[in-house]
Amino acid sequence: METISAVYEKEQPTVVENSQPARLPNGVAKATPDAVRVQRIVALSVMLFPLLGFIEAIRLTMNGYFGSTELVLFLVMYFVHMGGVTMGLHRLLSHCTFETSRFMQVLLSIMGSMAGQGPVLYWVSTHRRHHAYSDGPGDPHSPNLFGDDWKSQLKGLWYAHMPWMLSDEVSSWGHFARDILKDRTLFFVHQQYFLWVFLGLALPAAVGGLVHGTWMGVWAGFVFGGLARMFLANQAAWCVGSVSHMFGRRPFRTGDKSANSLWVAVVAFGEGLQNNHHAFPGSYRHAMEWWEPDVSGWVLTLMSKLGLVWDLRQPSREAIERMRQKTATR
């Protein structure tokens, strides 16, 4: 099974040149000062406002405003958030690991956009760039580029978790996401990004208000199903790029430091199985063993039985064993 970088090596598109003296990797450029400013404002908003919402959720809980409605809203929106990112933005759009209808494609893309991790083109191009340069120069969020001593590793771990989003480097859509760029429907979903983020916050607020019939119900729904959910789900998702590229098992030789972190896999619906994923990026399942937690893989399997998705791609057992043997002989 080909890796993402192998696909790009076959046919290089027009390269975005770097205006700085030192040339950046293909498909990477420096953003203009105005673009950097806007990007940083948006990124800081995604980091700080959900954090404030999480703190407010703690206050509401201590004051008795957390009940069954708020719990259900949090869990449902957490599933929408994580499912949209892992099945929609990641396994469908970034890696094309299965086929589905246009309706499901759009629905999963909208669900993923509700996470607040960036518009479709930004997410896909950033992720494909990560695979093309995994844990090397050009990787947008590797924790392993700052040195080997513990202080450097701690700095790298922190950088890969959140501050990488404040970088002045940008991933070229034309280089990494030409297929998405040409798709008018997905481009429309991309353009309406802030609408989807708003809906991800407004829907639980509306449900909370309808159930309780009070403004406090609206506020509690907004906090628990909106901001607090966004904070916890994104922290889990960001651990994939930080924790799961530093700590965990490495059953496959992948040429990078991707690792299987089981606890990250639990909270991130299977995404923490990064070593498996980097060994077989074209697989719809990240779990290579029955005991490895991969909620999104399980859901996609169920959806295939219901006819909602099809042509699910995964490596054969022989391919997996060959990779294991190759790793064992290194």
Side-chain angles (χ1 to χ4, degrees), residues 2 25 40 113 201 213 273 302 304 309:
E2 293 181 310
R40 288 177 176 172
S113 298
L201 298 172
L273 300 172
L302 176 61
S304 72
V309 300

Side-chain angles (χ1 to χ4, degrees), residues 12 14 29 38 90 92 137 183-184 202 207 222 256 266 284 292 321 325-326:
Q12 291 290 348
T14 301
V38 171
H90 189 197
L92 176 61
D183 191 310
R184 297 181 66 178
V207 172
F222 173 73
D256 57 24
V266 171
Y284 87 94
E292 293 177 321
E321 290 306 316
Q325 293 173 8
K326 181 180 178 181

Side-chain angles (χ1 to χ4, degrees), residues 19-20 29-40 167-170:
S19 60
Q20 304 300 316
K30 293 288 186 179
T32 64
D34 288 342
V36 170
R37 192 176 303 112
V38 171
Q39 179 176 313
R40 288 177 176 172
S167 171
D168 61 354
E169 293 183 358
V170 293

Side-chain angles (χ1 to χ4, degrees), residues 46-306:
V46 171
M47 296 177 196
L48 297 178
F49 283 112
L51 172 61
L52 294 176
F54 178 69
I55 295 172
E56 172 65 1
I58 294 175
R59 188 191 73 83
L60 290 176
T61 300
M62 294 177 65
N63 285 280
Y65 290 106
F66 180 73
S68 57
T69 299
E70 289 69 38
L71 176 61
V72 170
L73 282 173
F74 174 82
L75 293 176
V76 169
M77 291 306 298
Y78 191 98
F79 179 86
V80 169
H81 177 130
M82 197 65 73
V85 170
T86 61
M87 294 185 288
L89 301 182
H90 189 197
R91 305 187 196 196
L92 176 61
L93 299 187
S94 296
H95 293 291
C96 306
T97 65
F98 63 92
E99 301 292 335
T100 190
S101 65
R102 176 60 88 178
F103 172 80
M104 285 301 303
Q105 185 185 54
V106 170
L107 178 61
L108 288 172
S109 301
I110 291 174
M111 288 167 56
S113 298
M114 287 181 177
Q117 294 182 15
V120 170
L121 279 163
Y122 168 86
W123 206 102
V124 172
S125 59
T126 301
H127 186 72
R128 288 178 177 175
R129 173 184 159 195
H130 162 65
H131 273 269
Y133 302 114
S134 184
D135 284 324
D139 188 334
H141 48 68
S142 171
N144 299 298
L145 301 177
F146 294 84
D148 297 326
D149 61 279
W150 71 269
K151 289 184 180 180
S152 297
Q153 290 188 323
L154 189 61
K155 178 182 178 181
L157 188 66
W158 168 240
Y159 178 82
H161 195 68
M162 289 195 295
W164 70 270
M165 289 179 277
L166 305 176
S167 171
D168 61 354
E169 293 183 358
V170 293
S171 307
S172 167
W173 300 348
H175 184 94
F176 291 108
R178 285 177 296 169
D179 53 332
I180 308 297
L181 196 58
K182 293 183 204 177
D183 191 310
R184 297 181 66 178
T185 302
L186 291 178
F187 188 72
F188 174 79
V189 174
H190 164 87
Q191 288 180 306
Q192 305 305 314
Y193 169 67
F194 289 107
L195 171 62
W196 314 133
V197 174
F198 171 77
L199 285 177
L201 298 172
L203 288 176
V207 172
L210 288 173
V211 171
H212 291 293
T214 64
W215 285 110
M216 179 54 72
V218 174
W219 179 246
F222 173 73
V223 169
F224 287 101
L227 292 179
R229 170 269 305 173
M230 185 179 287
F231 174 77
L232 290 175
N234 278 342
Q235 292 301 316
W238 294 335
C239 280
V240 175
S242 57
V243 174
S244 296
H245 272 260
M246 187 170 283
F247 305 107
R249 294 175 59 252
R250 297 182 174 90
F252 302 107
R253 181 171 59 184
T254 58
D256 57 24
K257 294 188 178 180
S258 57
N260 291 342
S261 303
L262 294 185
W263 71 266
V264 178
V266 171
V267 296
F269 286 18
E271 302 296 283
L273 300 172
Q274 277 290 284
N275 186 252
N276 291 354
H277 173 54
H278 277 253
F280 302 100
S283 175
Y284 87 94
R285 296 174 67 245
H286 288 184
M288 297 294 131
E289 302 292 346
W290 66 268
W291 48 267
E292 293 177 321
D294 184 6
V295 172
S296 289
W298 300 336
V299 172
L300 286 171
T301 299
L302 176 61
M303 291 175 67
S304 72
K305 296 183 183 301
L306 297 175

